[in-house]
Amino acid sequence: MKKIHVLSLLLMTSSVLYAQDKSSKKEDREQKRLRKISLFREIEEGENLFNREFSGGARLNTDGWTGFLELGHRKSASTVNYYQFEFSEKRDPKQDRSSRVIDVGGGFGISTTPFVYGKMNNFYQAKLGLGQKRLIGGKGNKNGVEVNAIYYGGLSAGLVKPYYLDLMRDAGDTNGRRLVKYSDDIHDEFLDRALIYGAGGFTKGWGEVKFTPGVHAKVGFRFDWARFNDVISALEVGINAEYYAKKVQIMVDREGKPFFFNAYVGLQLGKRWNK
């Protein structure tokens, strides 16, 4: 009889311990689930307080294009300092890329490679600068938009590369051609459409690049619509100004200038994280 009582007591004790252990494991699972939900909400919604960010993107300017990389560091809840490297090309508003068909007789024609009529130089810029992004309005929830004001400035390395044309020696003679850049000595030939076979190619002229130092600055607004705070998906609009130590001439028939001003719109994608 005593054995039965002891066995019953052991079974009851085991049942109680098992129930407690099961309850404890259930509570642990629930706590983990709540922590995950809390972390998810922190990433998805509310204030964006990640202290590091890296992104890249592209802009369309009223006078060309820009590609860039950006590295940011949070200074405060509403301010991010960032470094940016850019590579851009400026285009004259009058330049127009076109091609033509050269009649070779017998009803046949040869289509020339595309070229920009009257272009003298390609003008590229490598820029490095420091900027600051200030929060105007947080997105509040995952469907909101974070709005920031940005201001930025730095140094520019202007790269002036001569633009080459593939010219025929005589109109219609596609076999007798030469690659030339503009000079006063060949002004008439360089602007004679009948002699132009096409552009000399992107790789031609890099060995003759001339360096022109400058400075640049911009202001604008950045709109980040990313669903998660650790992701950057932003549209930026603003204005940009650049000044160079020498006048830069892009087209033959237009005077060079040291100052450039444009408006832009850009797309930016990247990630945020905590160090």
Side-chain angles (χ1 to χ4, degrees):
M1 193 72 175
K2 289 182 178 179
K3 290 182 179 180
I4 294 174
H5 288 307
V6 170
L7 183 59
S8 299
L9 181 61
L10 289 174
L11 288 172
M12 290 175 62
T13 303
S14 299
S15 299
V16 171
L17 291 174
Y18 176 77
Q20 289 178 342
D21 183 60
K22 188 175 181 180
S23 176
S24 177
K25 287 182 178 179
K26 186 176 181 180
E27 287 179 5
D28 288 342
R29 286 196 298 269
E30 182 64 16
Q31 288 296 324
K32 287 181 181 179
R33 188 180 73 85
L34 291 174
R35 283 197 295 270
K36 286 181 180 179
I37 291 173
S38 177
L39 179 61
F40 182 79
R41 284 177 177 169
E42 183 179 318
I43 293 175
E44 185 181 26
E45 301 182 353
E47 288 188 69
N48 168 22
L49 296 177
F50 289 95
N51 57 34
R52 293 287 188 276
E53 55 184 62
F54 179 78
S55 58
R59 300 189 195 99
L60 286 177
N61 311 320
T62 51
D63 62 356
W65 56 265
T66 299
F68 65 91
L69 296 173
E70 180 180 303
L71 178 64
H73 172 261
R74 183 168 296 280
K75 183 180 178 182
S76 68
S78 61
T79 305
V80 174
N81 292 337
Y82 65 89
Y83 298 94
Q84 197 171 96
F85 172 76
E86 306 173 59
F87 190 81
S88 308
E89 182 185 9
K90 298 230 174 292
R91 296 177 177 175
D92 190 278
K94 282 194 171 183
Q95 75 177 60
D96 183 29
R97 193 174 179 84
S98 60
S99 60
R100 51 189 289 264
V101 176
I102 300 172
D103 184 12
V104 293
F108 295 98
I110 297 176
S111 180
T112 66
T113 56
F115 63 93
V116 179
Y117 178 76
K119 188 166 186 174
M120 180 179 179
N121 293 302
N122 289 105
F123 184 37
Y124 302 101
Q125 309 85 46
K127 307 175 190 175
L128 186 64
L130 173 64
Q132 194 168 82
K133 180 176 66 172
R134 286 187 174 271
L135 183 67
I136 296 177
K139 65 179 183 178
N141 59 67
K142 65 182 179 181
N143 296 316
V145 176
E146 182 181 283
V147 182
N148 290 274
I150 62 104
Y151 44 93
Y152 162 88
L155 301 176
S156 300
L159 307 173
V160 183
K161 182 175 82 76
Y163 183 76
Y164 274 79
L165 283 179
D166 189 0
L167 289 186
M168 296 177 286
R169 298 184 186 277
D170 296 301
D173 182 9
T174 59
N175 294 316
R177 307 201 311 267
R178 54 182 177 146
L179 290 177
V180 299
K181 63 181 180 179
Y182 177 80
S183 69
D184 292 338
D185 295 336
I186 61 167
H187 176 275
D188 294 339
E189 295 171 78
F190 197 84
L191 297 179
D192 187 345
R193 289 183 181 272
L195 297 179
I196 299 175
Y197 187 81
F202 176 76
T203 58
K204 187 66 177 174
W206 283 106
E208 304 169 76
V209 168
K210 293 182 180 179
F211 169 72
T212 301
V215 293
H216 67 281
K218 69 177 179 182
V219 293
F221 295 95
R222 189 176 295 177
F223 306 90
D224 192 331
W225 70 87
R227 181 175 180 180
F228 302 105
N229 281 332
D230 64 336
V231 176
I232 299 171
S233 298
L235 180 75
E236 184 175 304
V237 295
I239 54 175
N240 176 75
E242 300 169 45
Y243 184 82
Y244 293 90
K246 299 177 182 177
K247 290 183 178 182
V248 178
Q249 186 173 1
I250 297 176
M251 305 296 288
V252 172
D253 59 354
R254 287 171 66 85
E255 186 179 352
K257 59 182 181 180
F259 180 75
F260 296 85
F261 181 83
N262 65 53
Y264 68 86
V265 58
L267 180 65
Q268 189 167 352
L269 302 172
K271 291 287 290 182
R272 295 187 180 96
W273 71 95
N274 286 319
K275 186 176 179 180

